[in-house]
Amino acid sequence: MLSFIIRRTIYAIIAMWAVSVISFVIINLPAGDFVTTYIATQAATGNVILADEAENLRDVYGLNDPIYVQYVKWITRIVRGELGFSFEFNAPVRQVIEQNLANTLLLALGSVVFIWIVGIPIGIYSAVKQYSPGDYVATFLGFLGLGIPDFLIALVVAYLVFDHFGILLTGLYSAEYLTAPWSFGKALDLAQHLVLPVIILGTAGTASLIRIMRANLLDELKKPYVTTARAKGVTEWQLIMKYPVRYALNPVLSLTAYILPFLISGSVVLSYVLDLPTVGRDFLRALTAQDIYLSGAIILGTGWLTIIGTFFSDLLLAWVDPRIRLEGD
Amino acid sequence: MTTETATDQTTEQPRGLDADPVISVRDLETHFFTDEGVVRAVDGVNFDVHPGTTMGIVGESGCGKSITAKSILQIVEAPGRIVNGEIQYRRQSGEAVNLLDYPANSGRMRAIRGGEISMIFQEPMTSFSSLHTFGNQIDEALKLHTNLSKDERFELAVDWLARVGIPNPSQRMHEYPFRFSGGQLQRAMIAMAMCTNPKVLIADEPTTALDVTTQAQILDLLQRMQEENDMAIVFITHDLGVIAEIADEVTVMYLGKVVESGPVNDFFDAPLHPYSRALLTSIPSMFTGSRERLPSISGSIPHPQNRPSGCAFHPRCQSFINGVCDIREPNLVSVNEEQDVSCFLYED
């Protein structure tokens, strides 16, 4: 088990390094550099920056160094938590991200919980009652959920709710709580506002989890160990929950790591449509404004989140599956 | 290994081939309802299992022998369904019941399944869950079929592991099945089936996946278990050598039907059905020349959807009677006190 953890840690570090290189490349892809952009923005407000002043700035920011030196300086600053400056928000990148990080994680985690609570039981039912009317309904709804983009569902739902109840389904806080300090009332208000975005953001994930769970379980239900348990006189539901469902859940556990960053990037358009204060919404703004430090930090952050998530889900998988845990002992 | 036979032991209940059968299967039909049509996997099967003896069910792959075994416990998987027949079972209490009167998932059926009638399977390596310890899986059987406390169940399970010859039994209880060898797992599965003191053990090709040495050990173990626990065994196999070793009586199946049944000695000395004879002549013998071609049964097993008319064996039969075998179906009839056969050669 220890060798397993050490091996996974090394893999994770290598992957994080690779992601950081890719993010750095992306940040440096647009023509010109940070100073060019700076000159352009200053020029737009009427300030003219002279050539030697620009050169001076390039020296300060190390833009004349070889590319690998620039990378080392950049990654060192990132690790120290200095993420650069966002021109679009006119604030440090770190401050921009931190502002909406809690909302973003709340929305993503809420969706994961929703996906699990809805997707797993329906998936189990669909597999055990294969080709039953319930299975067909679940399959049909599943494909609908997969096929319709989140933002379209959001638009339709927001329109219907506004049209029928006159409630504006945007934002995460009511106006009276927006700047208010945290209280029970504010938390309740937030929870109410979160319900719909969580469900909408979770539809695609739920639909695919239903399909995955159903397929996994259908495979497992045919395995000899199920027949052995049945021959012992265990009731059908008990044996299904104890054996094949346990087997079918393992791959689902490792999938959760991928769901999380997918939800954060998936929330981009949804947040825009519903005006949710999330990192995803800021990401879209940063991309359209070519705010490279902010977008780079978000790309890097999402990438690292995936790797860390995978690392933890591997540990979780090893913890529940003795075949992995005892490997190499 | 003791050499005493089952009938040497004295017990209160009558046993042996002359005693009333513990299981009587009558006209059992188990069909599979597939998209391509109905497959009559078990198509009117009859046999008796006598207390304390071993009934060997022989046949080629796909002849319905495993489905017959699963039908007794009503654990046939969909789209298979028992459509007809009776499975008379004499309970521990002496009460005779038709198992097919009990719905497959009813409490009464589940009390018998794994309690009074246990089953062991062909592939020990995949017949256990790798995510649960062996102890957890044997305890499940004990929890369902005994009223013992947790500690008593553990003691009993350890005791059974020791009896089937697994070293360090109390330590193995906490281990996962993938840490056992194939032979050990088959022993463990026998312990799991035996720990509830069943009256009947159904063994579905328990030695097929094992190497020959381990096979012999498992057969010895099963015979010892039978003697020690006064239990009937239904032994399913395609291996006639195994039948010769372990069975008291034989039922030969072909395409879902019984073609011959009788005591094991009669079967080997004087097989009646042309299929039985063909099977026996295709076994290599000590006296076969080394370069000689082994006789084989001509043709191959028909596709289950495409069953021949009349006697299903007629296209491959050496004694085929034109105009009879391909038109009418023979019935299982007694030719003497012990042997039954389903063939027009023996019908008047």
Side-chain angles (χ1 to χ4, degrees):
Chain A
M1 184 67 182
L2 190 67
S3 70
F4 175 84
I5 295 174
I6 292 169
R7 207 166 57 239
R8 289 292 145 149
T9 313
I10 293 169
Y11 290 165
I13 290 169
I14 294 171
M16 285 171 85
W17 168 77
V19 167
S20 76
V21 170
I22 293 168
S23 307
F24 183 72
V25 169
I26 291 171
I27 292 170
N28 282 288
L29 271 184
D33 54 33
F34 156 65
V35 175
T36 326
T37 323
Y38 182 66
I39 293 168
T41 42
Q42 291 300 304
T45 54
N47 292 331
V48 178
I49 289 163
L50 298 171
D52 55 336
E53 199 182 336
E55 206 48 34
N56 199 20
L57 271 173
R58 285 202 167 86
D59 273 344
V60 169
Y61 287 99
L63 292 174
N64 290 324
D65 295 336
I67 191 81
Y68 60 89
V69 176
Q70 288 189 42
Y71 167 76
V72 171
K73 283 186 175 170
W74 173 77
I75 193 72
T76 319
R77 284 202 301 274
I78 294 273
V79 172
R80 285 205 213 109
E82 298 164 25
L83 303 181
F85 192 82
S86 162
F87 304 110
E88 177 66 16
F89 289 84
N90 204 15
V93 166
R94 195 178 160 157
Q95 193 187 318
V96 175
I97 292 179
E98 274 174 357
Q99 198 181 357
N100 290 327
L101 192 61
N103 293 335
T104 312
L105 291 180
L106 213 55
L107 183 62
L109 287 176
S111 293
V112 169
V113 172
F114 174 79
I115 288 170
W116 274 57
I117 290 181
V118 178
I120 291 174
I122 296 182
I124 294 173
Y125 176 86
S126 253
V128 174
K129 307 267 178 200
Q130 193 188 9
Y131 304 138
S132 68
D135 177 33
Y136 284 122
V137 169
T139 304
F140 177 71
L141 290 179
F143 281 127
L144 272 189
L146 272 179
I148 303 176
D150 288 347
F151 66 87
L152 191 64
I153 301 177
L155 277 177
V156 171
V157 172
Y159 170 77
L160 288 178
V161 170
F162 183 74
D163 200 44
H164 284 80
F165 305 103
I167 300 167
L168 202 56
L169 270 186
T170 53
L172 282 180
Y173 303 95
S174 304
E176 65 264 36
Y177 287 115
L178 203 53
T179 51
W182 278 104
S183 63
F184 179 72
K186 185 172 177 175
L188 194 70
D189 180 60
L190 174 66
Q192 280 172 346
H193 278 84
L194 264 176
V195 172
L196 260 173
V198 156
I199 293 174
I200 292 168
L201 188 59
T203 43
T206 308
S208 62
L209 186 61
I210 291 174
R211 303 303 300 165
I212 293 168
M213 194 67 202
R214 180 179 184 272
N216 287 349
L217 193 54
L218 280 176
D219 281 346
E220 294 300 331
L221 285 171
K222 296 188 194 94
K223 297 279 173 73
Y225 64 84
V226 178
T227 313
T228 311
R230 200 172 280 137
K232 277 189 269 186
V234 187
T235 63
E236 200 61 18
W237 274 107
Q238 261 173 358
L239 75 91
I240 286 170
M241 296 311 280
K242 181 172 174 184
Y243 298 108
V245 166
R246 262 296 297 280
Y247 270 91
L249 271 179
N250 284 358
V252 172
L253 275 184
S254 52
L255 274 177
T256 309
Y258 301 102
I259 293 179
L260 207 59
F262 165 77
L263 288 176
I264 290 174
S265 55
S267 66
V268 170
V269 182
L270 181 71
S271 300
Y272 185 77
V273 169
L274 290 181
D275 193 26
L276 308 175
T278 66
V279 176
R281 190 189 60 176
D282 300 340
F283 184 48
L284 188 65
R285 223 174 117 183
L287 284 177
T288 46
Q290 283 207 8
D291 189 345
I292 49 171
Y293 283 100
L294 180 55
S295 50
I298 295 174
I299 291 172
L300 181 69
T302 318
W304 281 7
L305 200 65
T306 313
I307 295 162
I308 294 168
T310 311
F311 175 72
F312 279 110
S313 66
D314 279 351
L315 289 192
L316 194 63
L317 201 58
W319 179 58
V320 299
D321 192 335
R323 288 169 302 178
I324 300 171
R325 184 169 70 232
L326 300 173
E327 169 190 50
D329 270 17
Chain B
M1 183 70 213
T2 53
T3 49
E4 55 175 349
T5 58
T7 38
D8 287 341
Q9 278 184 340
T10 47
T11 45
E12 290 155 35
Q13 288 206 338
R15 47 194 307 218
L17 296 183
D18 298 330
D20 287 340
V22 58
I23 287 183
S24 281
V25 175
R26 288 292 171 267
D27 305 320
L28 179 68
E29 288 178 37
T30 305
H31 295 176
F32 281 72
F33 299 86
T34 67
D35 291 340
E36 289 82 37
V38 179
V39 175
R40 284 140 68 190
V42 179
D43 196 17
V45 161
N46 296 285
F47 63 88
D48 289 341
V49 183
H50 296 98
T53 68
T54 301
M55 164 59 85
I57 300 183
V58 214
E60 289 166 273
S61 310
C63 72
K65 54 193 193 298
S66 287
I67 303 300
T68 303
K70 284 183 177 173
S71 299
I72 296 176
L73 288 181
Q74 294 198 52
I75 54 170
V76 181
E77 279 108 4
R81 212 169 64 224
I82 301 170
V83 290
N84 190 31
E86 269 182 27
I87 297 170
Q88 291 294 340
Y89 167 63
R90 205 153 38 79
R91 298 197 65 163
Q92 221 115 30
S93 54
E95 172 200 8
V97 293
N98 175 8
L99 291 182
L100 297 184
D101 287 344
Y102 298 156
N105 289 319
S106 62
R108 282 195 291 190
M109 191 63 221
R110 278 187 289 105
I112 289 170
R113 190 190 294 152
E116 293 182 42
I117 306 176
S118 287
M119 188 159 175
I120 60 174
F121 297 91
Q122 185 171 0
E123 289 176 54
M125 303 302 242
T126 52
S127 294
F128 286 96
S129 157
S130 298
L131 301 179
H132 301 81
T133 59
F134 172 72
N136 177 314
Q137 295 177 65
I138 191 174
D139 189 60
E140 191 171 52
L142 288 169
K143 220 194 264 177
L144 282 166
H145 300 291
T146 66
N147 296 320
L148 303 174
S149 72
K150 194 166 182 273
D151 291 343
E152 288 170 328
R153 293 198 305 266
F154 185 85
E155 287 304 313
L156 189 61
V158 168
D159 187 43
W160 272 104
L161 275 186
R163 285 171 75 175
V164 298
I166 287 181
N168 300 326
S170 53
Q171 187 199 322
R172 300 314 299 260
M173 286 288 284
H174 301 291
E175 284 184 16
Y176 290 92
F178 53 85
R179 291 298 182 90
F180 291 57
S181 71
Q184 280 178 330
L185 275 183
Q186 194 54 279
R187 286 171 190 273
M189 184 140 65
I190 291 170
M192 192 160 83
M194 295 294 306
C195 68
T196 54
N197 279 320
K199 266 179 82 182
V200 181
L201 178 72
I202 302 172
D204 186 3
E205 307 215 30
T207 56
T208 305
L210 305 173
D211 64 76
V212 187
T213 321
T214 318
Q215 262 187 30
Q217 291 169 350
I218 295 295
L219 291 181
D220 282 350
L221 174 65
L222 281 173
Q223 280 174 321
R224 183 158 60 84
M225 290 291 122
Q226 180 169 41
E227 283 157 18
E228 288 173 6
N229 302 285
D230 182 21
M231 165 185 82
I233 296 180
V234 179
F235 198 101
I236 289 143
T237 184
H238 60 260
D239 187 338
L240 290 172
V242 170
I243 288 293
E245 169 88 21
I246 198 165
D248 299 298
E249 292 177 288
V250 187
T251 295
V252 185
M253 282 182 72
Y254 187 79
L255 274 190
K257 284 182 184 296
V258 173
V259 294
E260 173 167 358
S261 70
V264 70
N265 291 337
D266 293 346
F267 172 73
F268 282 102
D269 294 345
L272 297 171
H273 198 279
Y275 177 60
S276 312
R277 283 192 233 144
L279 279 181
L280 286 166
T281 49
S282 59
I283 298 175
S285 112
M286 297 252 294
F287 310 107
T288 313
S290 59
R291 295 269 165 196
E292 223 170 285
R293 255 192 114 75
L294 209 54
S296 61
I297 305 178
S298 61
S300 56
I301 310 170
H303 190 271
Q305 303 283 3
N306 196 8
R307 204 192 157 84
S309 60
C311 169
F313 186 63
H314 85 257
R316 309 173 71 186
C317 187
Q318 300 268 319
S319 318
F320 168 58
I321 309 168
N322 203 352
V324 178
C325 301
D326 53 347
I327 294 174
R328 286 193 295 134
E329 275 195 58
N331 297 314
L332 194 64
V333 291
S334 302
V335 287
N336 53 45
E337 277 181 21
E338 277 146 346
Q339 285 176 286
D340 293 341
V341 67
S342 162
C343 179
F344 290 111
L345 294 177
Y346 303 92
E347 269 188 34
D348 297 326

